[in-house]
Amino acid sequence: MNATIDRRSLLRGATLASSGLALSAWMPSWAQSVSAGIVKPLPTVSGEDITLRIAHQMMTIDGRESHAIGINGTVPAPLIRLREGQNVRLHVENALDEDSSIHWHGLILPFHMDGVPGVSFPGIKPRSTFTYEFPVVQSGTYWYHSHSGLQEQLGHYGPIVIDPEGDDPVRSDREHVIVLSDHSQMHPHIIFKKLKQQGGYFNFQKQTLAGLLAGKDQSTKERLEWGAMRMDPTDVADVTGSTYTYLVNGHGPRDNWTGLFRPGEHVRLRIINASAMTTFNFRIPGLRMTVVQADGLPVRPVAVDEMQIAVAETYDVIVQPSDERAYTIVGESVDRSGMARATLAPREGMAAAVPALRRRPLADMKDMGMGGMDHGSGDAMTGMDHAAMGHANPAPAAQACPPEHAAMGHCKPAAGGTGQQAGMDHGSGGMDHSMRDFSVAPEVKKTPTVQTISPMPVDRMGEPGQGLEDVGHKVLVYTDLMAVDRNPDVRAPDRSMRIHLTGNMERYMWAFDGEKLSEVKKPIPFLKDERVRITLVNDTMMGHPIHLHGHFFELVTGHGEYAPRKHTIQVQPGGTATFDVTTDAVGDWAFHCHMLYHMHAGMMQVVSVRPREGDTK
């Protein structure tokens, strides 16, 4: 064999190598070559007195350095490990040149320790220290984050684990905390600016002519119908993998964070969605998960293959890997533009195959709030009177300005047409089902923040989440969850209320009942210990994770006294979700969508719980 390498072969090899590197640079982060695995626990703080320092820092993700705001020099912030029954003092130093804060997400505590500037305390001024002090009255998996500006997007978040006072009813041989998040090299204020300029700015997965010719996605008829309504069925996520890298414990897919196990062990995964904007579809191919806690509270075990985890939700699962092999942890973004990736393995340096991203979902008529209409099988648009809607072979002028968009002020209808006559005649006696019919939502204010109103929304708490309807395996749904213990308050509701989740994607405004936080004149009033049934109606085509501070609520899913108790609930597009809450915590509490840019754009209000007359507590 000739050991001499000729110049032509050397050049050819160099060319192939450089081409491979160039190709790799264009591949998504999760598909590129990975490290041998980062095996290290999260930095942890514990005890009665804990010191936390908020400051600017640099962080390295997939070999690339990026600016961040961290706590004690880490992103995520240190794991705070507490024990039920203790009293904790957390001394928080703000080393930034702007106000900051920490909200203890899901913790039951006095309202002035909740950490929301302008609602429960004034915030932490630059170069100053604030001490939070409160009794720890619960156990489970929670997290903490900034409630100031857009700092959370820059890395200001961290996990909390509270061990029970006695024996832990969840048995495991070891545990790993899994913090899912999203990170961008783009400054969060620039992201927000681009969203205000164009709602679908980061959506690089729109339908194309090539896709139409190849028979993909919607048919020509459907595309024309959706186009006439100026609605984009691919608009599933506001901020996508085009700018985000999805992280596990602060590490990118190429970093390959690795959690170790011994075959046969029961491994507890404490999963926290600490992202700013990303709903994750979480699975471990080849490994079933048994859900044992939701939002920190015990639930009866449910075996699943996948679950959709909304922003700010937490789930504890038990897995039992029996083989001497690696498993890939997959946190796929809801729009399937990217994924968080990590590994479970018996040894450092092992890796399993990473599944390809699945086909991205498309919004349908149910996501548009028409789930209460019986469309039968096949085309969801079949049987609809589109001439009545103004976009099925009308005159050119009417086609350019369908009535529902005239009602929104987007265009001027043809002569003789009115913005109020838009209807979908489904044989319901001429009932007006326009996409902005305020008669079906008298609670909603007529403001520019209301682009659409769901004509016939339905309860979607028994559904697996957008894009997971036909995956061929068991996906967790809210109706699967049942509390282990009987609910502390099983009274029937004293009253009920409906709250609409409204938005305008074209102007990127979000609100409750059509009013942004800056427009609200007074808080939502409650009396102490009221029992209230609240139905959330999603009038948008995007899921919203809604969080109520200072309280847990019971999902109305048919489980009665053993209804699951949560502090955050995902309201699916065009659907409804209902919960019962006992307003047992006096004070002012934030109530908001936990998608950071939605909250920043106005989808937040204040809930005010006042003592009853003569109540001295």
Side-chain angles (χ1 to χ4, degrees):
M1 178 178 178
N2 187 354
T4 303
I5 302 176
D6 63 77
R7 182 173 177 272
R8 183 177 298 171
S9 298
L10 183 62
L11 289 173
R12 184 167 59 247
T15 301
L16 290 172
S18 62
S19 299
L21 289 172
L23 179 62
S24 175
W26 285 100
M27 295 174 71
S29 180
W30 58 268
Q32 296 184 23
S33 58
V34 300
S35 74
I38 294 173
V39 182
K40 63 177 183 179
L42 290 167
T44 302
V45 294
S46 61
E48 299 286 335
D49 279 274
I50 295 170
T51 299
L52 302 172
R53 184 174 188 269
I54 304 167
H56 291 286
Q57 66 174 77
M58 300 302 290
M59 64 185 296
T60 302
I61 300 169
D62 288 341
R64 188 179 183 188
E65 209 169 40
S66 184
H67 169 246
I69 293 177
I71 294 181
N72 293 5
T74 70
V75 176
L79 166 63
I80 298 177
R81 191 114 199 179
L82 305 173
R83 181 167 291 278
E84 183 182 11
Q86 76 173 97
N87 195 76
V88 66
R89 288 173 298 277
L90 297 126
H91 310 284
V92 181
E93 177 193 352
N94 178 13
L96 304 175
D97 54 5
E98 60 181 324
D99 286 11
S100 193
S101 58
I102 292 181
H103 164 58
W104 315 98
H105 188 100
L107 269 58
I108 301 300
L109 36 63
F111 83 95
H112 56 285
M113 292 289 137
D114 190 50
V116 182
V119 176
S120 55
F121 88 137
I124 309 174
K125 298 298 179 184
R127 319 297 175 192
S128 69
T129 298
F130 180 85
T131 298
Y132 295 87
E133 183 172 3
F134 51 86
V136 180
V137 299
Q138 64 206 96
S139 61
T141 303
Y142 304 94
W143 65 296
Y144 62 106
H145 59 86
S146 173
H147 233 289
S148 300
L150 300 175
Q151 295 172 2
E152 186 184 332
Q153 176 74 92
L154 285 165
H156 187 334
Y157 54 82
I160 300 172
V161 171
I162 305 176
D163 295 307
E165 199 166 11
D167 292 336
D168 195 328
V170 177
R171 301 292 182 181
S172 63
D173 299 302
R174 75 170 72 204
E175 69 177 34
H176 295 295
V177 175
I178 306 290
V179 180
L180 302 171
S181 62
D182 43 32
H183 180 82
S184 176
Q185 293 278 340
M186 188 179 293
H187 192 279
H189 287 290
I190 300 300
I191 292 176
F192 186 69
K193 180 181 178 180
K194 291 185 180 299
L195 289 170
K196 290 291 285 184
Q197 291 170 336
Q198 181 183 339
Y201 181 90
F202 296 101
N203 180 9
F204 286 14
Q205 298 191 110
K206 294 179 183 291
Q207 297 186 115
T208 64
L209 175 60
L212 177 65
L213 296 175
K216 295 178 179 178
D217 303 328
Q218 290 182 321
S219 65
T220 303
K221 176 175 176 288
E222 288 176 309
R223 292 190 189 206
L224 290 172
E225 289 163 344
W226 281 69
M229 291 185 290
R230 296 169 109 186
M231 292 182 177
D232 181 0
T234 69
D235 191 13
V236 175
D238 288 348
V239 191
T240 71
S242 65
T243 188
Y244 274 155
T245 298
Y246 301 106
L247 311 182
V248 175
N249 294 343
H251 299 289
R254 294 171 60 197
D255 292 331
N256 189 25
W257 179 89
T258 303
L260 301 180
F261 68 85
R262 290 191 183 92
E265 283 184 326
H266 288 75
V267 182
R268 181 177 189 167
L269 304 179
R270 298 180 180 265
I271 308 163
I272 301 165
N273 186 348
S275 67
M277 290 294 289
T278 305
T279 300
F280 286 104
N281 294 328
F282 186 91
R283 70 191 195 275
I284 308 174
L287 206 53
R288 252 202 156 191
M289 304 176 287
T290 300
V291 180
V292 293
Q293 281 191 3
D295 284 357
L297 299 185
V299 295
R300 299 182 188 183
V302 182
V304 299
D305 299 298
E306 186 168 7
M307 51 190 176
Q308 188 168 98
I309 307 178
V311 177
E313 287 189 308
T314 73
Y315 285 98
D316 285 28
V317 304
I318 299 293
V319 295
Q320 190 177 7
S322 58
D323 298 328
E324 186 83 12
R325 70 180 182 92
Y327 297 86
T328 297
I329 296 172
V330 175
E332 189 177 50
S333 64
V334 66
D335 68 321
R336 292 167 184 168
S337 60
M339 70 170 70
R341 175 269 180 140
T343 297
L344 281 179
R347 295 182 305 280
E348 183 177 355
M350 297 180 70
V354 179
L357 289 169
R358 295 172 296 189
R359 186 176 177 182
R360 55 104 166 88
L362 292 178
D364 58 20
M365 299 302 287
K366 201 170 192 179
D367 299 323
M368 203 186 288
M370 299 180 190
M373 301 175 185
D374 183 10
H375 300 295
S377 59
D379 181 4
M381 305 289 274
T382 300
M384 297 175 64
D385 185 350
H386 296 288
M389 291 173 67
H391 45 78
N393 303 319
Q399 189 173 32
C401 186
E404 65 274 17
H405 290 290
M408 288 185 260
H410 292 161
C411 54
K412 188 173 181 179
T418 70
Q420 301 302 317
Q421 69 185 27
M424 302 174 203
D425 186 359
H426 296 278
S428 52
M431 183 178 179
D432 184 357
H433 294 310
S434 78
M435 292 306 296
R436 200 169 184 258
D437 177 11
F438 286 94
S439 70
V440 301
E443 309 92 343
V444 176
K445 310 298 186 297
K446 295 182 180 180
T447 69
T449 310
V450 186
Q451 187 174 16
T452 56
I453 293 175
S454 297
M456 296 186 73
V458 294
D459 185 335
R460 303 191 70 177
M461 291 197 289
E463 299 181 21
Q466 207 166 11
L468 296 178
E469 302 87 351
D470 302 309
V471 291
H473 54 237
K474 173 60 182 174
V475 180
L476 181 73
V477 297
Y478 282 144
T479 51
D480 289 331
L481 301 175
M482 287 186 68
V484 170
D485 301 314
R486 185 172 180 263
N487 297 155
D489 190 350
V490 295
R491 292 176 297 159
D494 301 312
R495 63 187 175 101
S496 62
M497 59 190 300
R498 288 166 67 89
I499 297 174
H500 288 253
L501 315 180
T502 56
N504 185 327
M505 271 298 292
E506 292 184 14
R507 299 174 66 172
Y508 207 76
M509 300 187 298
W510 302 94
F512 289 138
D513 287 338
E515 283 190 313
K516 298 182 294 181
L517 177 63
S518 59
E519 301 167 339
V520 174
K521 301 296 190 295
K522 58 184 179 180
I524 301 173
F526 293 96
L527 290 175
K528 186 177 186 298
D529 294 326
E530 269 195 285
R531 186 76 172 152
V532 184
R533 174 159 295 182
I534 296 176
T535 297
L536 302 172
V537 183
N538 191 346
D539 288 326
T540 78
M541 290 175 56
M542 188 166 290
H544 296 283
I546 304 300
H547 173 48
L548 175 60
H549 289 222
H551 298 77
F552 278 84
F553 47 75
E554 292 81 51
L555 304 189
V556 179
T557 53
H559 295 307
E561 298 178 352
Y562 291 89
R565 304 181 70 220
K566 296 182 94 272
H567 52 61
T568 304
I569 182 171
Q570 177 83 333
V571 189
Q572 293 295 335
T576 68
T578 302
F579 62 80
D580 292 340
V581 61
T582 300
T583 53
D584 55 3
V586 171
D588 293 333
W589 304 97
F591 177 53
H592 60 92
C593 175
H594 221 291
M595 286 191 169
L596 183 61
Y597 300 112
H598 289 188
M599 181 176 66
H600 195 66
M603 192 177 271
M604 175 175 170
Q605 287 197 25
V606 176
V607 164
S608 183
V609 181
R610 293 291 173 254
R612 294 177 183 271
E613 189 174 346
D615 191 347
T616 58
K617 293 182 180 179

